[in-house]
Amino acid sequence: MMTKLEFLEVAKRKLLGDGLEPCTIDELQQLENQLERSLSRIRARKFRNLVFSQNQLFREQIEKLKEKEKILIEENTKLREQCGMQPRQASEEQEVYMDVETQLSIGPPERRVA
């Protein structure tokens, strides 16, 4: 009678590819399925970690760009004052962003008749 520890040691060796000779085809298929499930879980975890790190990187870049924007707005205000121009209003600074219309679309391409 094998103890639980011995059973786990044997299972570990099989997962590592040792001691597979006495295994039946069914045992080998079960082992293969177990390895595939484990690999899928590892890949999913790795993907989640990658997405999290990319999101974190994007957040940091956005913060740096916001700081840079603030510095540029302050510098622009100083330059306008030096040139004798009226300083921009806060609403004017935010109007810099504009919508751009494109011919891009999401979904399957449509056939166009010329």
Side-chain angles (χ1 to χ4, degrees):
M1 177 168 176
M2 284 200 288
T3 65
K4 189 173 182 178
L5 184 59
E6 291 171 337
F7 177 77
L8 290 174
E9 284 293 325
V10 169
K12 176 183 163 189
R13 275 189 253 123
K14 285 182 180 179
L15 287 172
L16 294 173
D18 294 333
L20 297 177
E21 295 81 18
C23 292
T24 66
I25 297 291
D26 287 339
E27 289 174 324
L28 291 173
Q29 287 177 338
Q30 288 175 358
L31 186 60
E32 180 182 19
N33 291 337
Q34 183 181 356
L35 288 170
E36 286 176 358
R37 285 190 306 271
S38 296
L39 184 58
S40 294
R41 283 193 298 269
I42 290 169
R43 285 181 177 154
R45 189 179 322 129
K46 192 173 183 179
F47 178 75
R48 283 191 303 271
N49 290 341
L50 175 65
V51 169
F52 176 77
S53 0
Q54 285 179 337
N55 287 342
Q56 182 66 28
L57 179 64
F58 289 149
R59 280 192 286 274
E60 290 171 4
Q61 288 177 343
I62 288 170
E63 288 304 314
K64 286 179 184 177
L65 289 171
K66 284 181 180 179
E67 290 173 19
K68 187 174 181 179
E69 178 187 30
K70 184 178 176 182
I71 292 169
L72 290 172
I73 289 171
E74 290 171 2
E75 185 178 328
N76 191 7
T77 302
K78 289 177 186 176
L79 290 172
R80 283 180 158 276
E81 288 173 1
Q82 287 177 358
C83 293
M85 298 174 71
Q86 293 290 327
R88 284 185 146 182
Q89 301 298 323
S91 62
E92 290 179 27
E93 292 170 357
Q94 292 181 0
E95 289 178 13
V96 171
Y97 305 103
M98 64 179 96
D99 290 331
V100 177
E101 196 171 317
T102 68
Q103 295 179 353
L104 297 176
S105 63
I106 297 175
E110 298 175 11
R111 293 193 179 242
R112 297 190 176 148
V113 179

